[in-house]
């Protein structure tokens, strides 16, 4: 018995579904057409799992939801996940990986730990069908085998199928936010991985703290914690007017002649639709307290607390000229509009590198603050 997918490839149904479909599904209804879109894929999987239901079987899904909240944060630490809650024939699929046993599933986790040192953040766990639980997560990894240790980011959902007979997990299907074709084997998924191996040079300095909530094909959505900046009036997003004033403050031109460590990035912020009302900012070290900072010696320099919040971010390399920055801002705003996200006016340009850095490895970002963002 096979599941027929839209790409005309076939793959075995998860064993728990196969056993239950033999018992419960009428003849002629066991072939499923799996589309590429996430929404349709979810509906097909949910229907398949629901067909396992038997009136004589009682399943405490809330207990399994609570279990995943406790267990999944250990996915990549020394404790690891509890294998006793998975069928021996658990079927795992993501766009570029598949395994059909719990041993293969755990081997994949171990390999990721060795090669990528993943940081896994669980956002939510909820029941989405009679025999289905869906988790939403972020995974940030560093490929340690490459000298520049590129950062790879994946966000998405995992659809966990439950075997009603054993009351254990029998299938695990990952859907990435960054691609359309999530079927195994997805060339789009492979390209998405390879694109993230490029070099970005990020200085090893204090920087604002953030969590990546979602990564699409065009931008990331980040949740920033509050941070402090020293700022002065600027002239344009790509400009350096006012930079000497703010660097003067951290180099000792302040009321106590205190020298303050350098951080990254340097922000230029436009607060209007025309991107013309600009300030330039240096982030202050994260261990600094607003009330204990020395006062600026120059009237044009101000200390301010940035409240943080949720921002859409588009990363790019090369020299951040005004033309390039405005083009990236326009691309990002159009993508947000297409995705139905509510954005604020203005934007920030984050420049992480010394201007003498090779343009190819420069890390630049355009940020636009979002209103009323919620994860699906």
């Amino acid at each position: 018995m096979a599941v027929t997918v839209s790409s005309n490839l076939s793959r075995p149904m998860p064993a728990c579904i196969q056993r239950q479909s033999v018992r419960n599904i009428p003849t002629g209804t066991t072939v499923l057409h799996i589309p590429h879109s996430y929404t349709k894929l979810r509906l097909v999987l949910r229907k398949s799992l629901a067909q396992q239901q038997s009136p004589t079987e009682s399943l405490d899904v809330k207990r399994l939801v609570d279990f995943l909240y406790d267990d999944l944060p250990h996915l990549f630490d020394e404790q690891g996940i509890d294998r006793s809650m998975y069928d021996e024939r658990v079927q795992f699929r993501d766009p570029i990986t598949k395994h059909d046993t719990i041993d293969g599933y755990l081997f994949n986790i171990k390999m990721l730990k060795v090669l990528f040192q993943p940081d896994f953040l669980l956002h939510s766990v909820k029941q989405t069908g009679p025999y289905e639980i869906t988790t939403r997560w972020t995974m940030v990894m560093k490929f340690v085998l490459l000298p520049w240790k590129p950062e790879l980011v994946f966000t998405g959902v995992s659809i966990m199928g439950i075997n009603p007979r054993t009351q254990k997990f029998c299938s695990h299907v990952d859907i990435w936010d960054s691609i359309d074709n999530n079927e195994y084997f997805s060339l789009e998924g492979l390209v998405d991985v390879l694109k993230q191996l490029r070099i970005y040079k990020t200085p090893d300095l204090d920087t604002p703290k953030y969590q990546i909530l979602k990564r699409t094909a065009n931008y990331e959505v980040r949740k920033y914690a509050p941070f402090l900046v020293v700022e002065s009036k600027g002239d344009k997003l790509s400009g350096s007017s006012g930079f000497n004033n703010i660097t003067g403050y951290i180099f000792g031109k302040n009321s106590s002649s205190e020298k303050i460590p350098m951080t990254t990035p340097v922000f230029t912020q436009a607060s209007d639709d025309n991107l013309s009302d600009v300030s330039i900012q240096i982030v202050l070290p994260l261990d600094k307290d607003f009330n204990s900072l020395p006062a600026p010696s120059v009237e044009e320099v101000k200390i301010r607390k940035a409240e943080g919040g949720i921002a859409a971010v588009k990363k790019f390399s090369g020299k951040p000229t005004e033309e390039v920055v405005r083009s990236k801002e326009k691309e990002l705003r159009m993508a947000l509009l297409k995705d139905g996200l509510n954005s604020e006016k203005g934007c920030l340009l984050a420049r992480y590198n010394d201007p003498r850095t090779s343009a190819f490895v420069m890390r630049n970002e355009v940020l636009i603050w979002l209103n009323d963002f919620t994860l699906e």
Side-chain angles (χ1 to χ4, degrees):
M1 188 175 296
V3 176
T4 303
V5 299
S6 58
S7 57
N8 295 322
L9 298 175
S10 294
R11 64 170 184 256
M13 295 175 70
C16 61
I17 300 177
Q18 190 176 53
R19 287 194 297 268
Q20 298 297 326
S21 64
V22 169
R23 184 176 65 189
N24 294 320
I25 303 177
T27 303
T29 63
T30 55
V31 176
L32 304 176
H33 296 281
I34 308 294
H36 290 322
S37 74
Y38 157 65
T39 303
K40 291 182 179 179
L41 178 57
R42 173 188 281 282
L43 291 174
V44 171
L45 290 171
R46 183 179 297 168
K47 179 179 178 182
S48 177
L49 290 164
Q51 286 172 325
Q52 300 175 49
Q53 187 171 5
S54 169
T56 62
E57 293 163 342
S58 177
L59 180 63
D60 186 357
V61 179
K62 183 180 183 303
R63 177 181 64 87
L64 293 176
V65 168
D66 292 340
F67 164 77
L68 290 175
Y69 266 121
D70 291 337
D71 192 61
L72 286 179
H74 299 292
L75 191 61
F76 296 108
D77 66 16
E78 292 303 314
Q79 176 178 319
I81 61 172
D82 183 355
R83 68 173 289 159
S84 70
M85 293 300 293
Y86 294 80
D87 279 352
E88 287 297 320
R89 297 291 298 176
V90 64
Q91 291 202 348
F92 171 81
R93 298 288 186 276
D94 73 16
I96 60 173
T97 311
K98 69 173 183 177
H99 294 283
D100 295 319
T101 66
I102 184 61
D103 288 333
Y105 182 56
L106 294 176
F107 172 79
N108 185 65
I109 293 171
K110 183 177 180 180
M111 181 186 67
L112 290 174
K113 285 174 62 176
V114 172
L115 297 180
F116 294 98
Q117 299 177 348
D119 182 13
F120 180 82
L121 176 62
L122 180 65
H123 298 294
S124 65
V125 183
K126 58 185 177 182
Q127 181 177 359
T128 47
Y131 290 82
E132 174 190 290
I133 294 174
T134 298
T135 68
R136 174 160 278 283
W137 43 264
T138 294
M139 187 162 65
V140 181
M141 309 189 295
K142 288 189 177 181
F143 192 13
V144 298
L145 295 186
L146 293 177
W148 60 94
K149 295 180 174 56
E151 181 180 88
L152 290 80
V153 177
F154 299 93
T155 67
V157 298
S158 297
I159 303 172
M160 312 284 288
I162 306 167
N163 183 340
R165 184 178 61 83
T166 63
Q167 304 203 16
K168 298 180 180 182
F169 297 107
C170 64
S171 64
H172 176 150
V173 178
D174 279 355
I175 310 293
W176 296 354
D177 294 322
S178 52
I179 61 174
D180 292 323
N181 179 14
N182 275 278
E183 294 292 340
Y184 177 85
F185 180 83
S186 171
L187 288 176
E188 185 186 4
L190 178 60
V191 170
D192 186 56
V193 173
L194 295 176
K195 282 165 54 179
Q196 295 188 74
L197 297 180
R198 65 150 298 139
I199 303 175
Y200 282 106
K201 186 175 182 181
T202 303
D204 186 18
L205 298 170
D206 248 4
T207 192
K209 299 294 184 185
Y210 61 82
Q211 292 179 343
I212 300 173
L213 302 181
K214 191 171 185 178
R215 175 182 163 264
T216 74
N218 300 305
Y219 57 87
E220 292 179 358
V221 177
R222 299 176 184 169
K223 182 179 180 180
Y224 277 87
F227 55 94
L228 300 175
V229 297
V230 53
E231 70 177 351
S232 184
K233 182 69 176 176
D235 56 351
K236 56 183 180 178
L237 280 170
S238 63
S240 59
S241 177
F243 184 70
N244 288 340
N245 287 336
I246 56 177
T247 54
Y249 173 83
I250 66 171
F251 292 153
K253 290 183 179 180
N254 53 63
S255 60
S256 62
S257 300
E258 178 185 352
K259 293 185 178 180
I260 298 172
M262 190 63 182
T263 61
T264 194
V266 173
F267 285 119
T268 40
Q269 179 172 3
S271 57
D272 63 326
D273 289 331
N274 295 325
L275 309 182
S276 58
D277 184 10
V278 176
S279 63
I280 188 166
Q281 307 163 357
I282 290 179
V283 178
L284 294 170
L286 302 183
D287 60 356
K288 293 295 183 181
D289 177 73
F290 182 85
N291 295 321
S292 63
L293 285 166
S297 300
V298 179
E299 185 177 351
E300 293 81 6
V301 175
K302 308 295 182 185
I303 307 297
R304 183 172 65 84
K305 181 179 181 180
E307 295 299 333
I310 296 178
V313 181
K314 187 173 185 66
K315 184 187 294 186
F316 62 100
S317 61
K319 296 292 184 181
T321 64
E322 192 72 9
E323 181 181 4
V324 168
V325 174
R326 285 176 174 265
S327 174
K328 297 299 181 182
E329 187 272 344
K330 184 177 180 180
E331 290 174 15
L332 177 56
R333 197 168 291 279
M334 289 179 65
L336 298 178
L337 184 63
K338 180 181 177 182
D339 292 343
L341 297 181
N342 182 13
S343 59
E344 295 186 4
K345 63 182 179 180
C347 72
L348 291 92
L349 169 65
R351 289 174 281 187
Y352 283 81
N353 309 107
D354 184 294
R356 295 167 294 184
T357 304
S358 169
F360 178 74
V361 299
M362 275 187 168
R363 177 182 173 182
N364 310 299
E365 295 172 346
V366 167
L367 296 81
I368 296 177
W369 295 112
L370 300 179
N371 294 315
D372 307 319
F373 176 82
T374 56
L375 280 172
E376 298 173 356

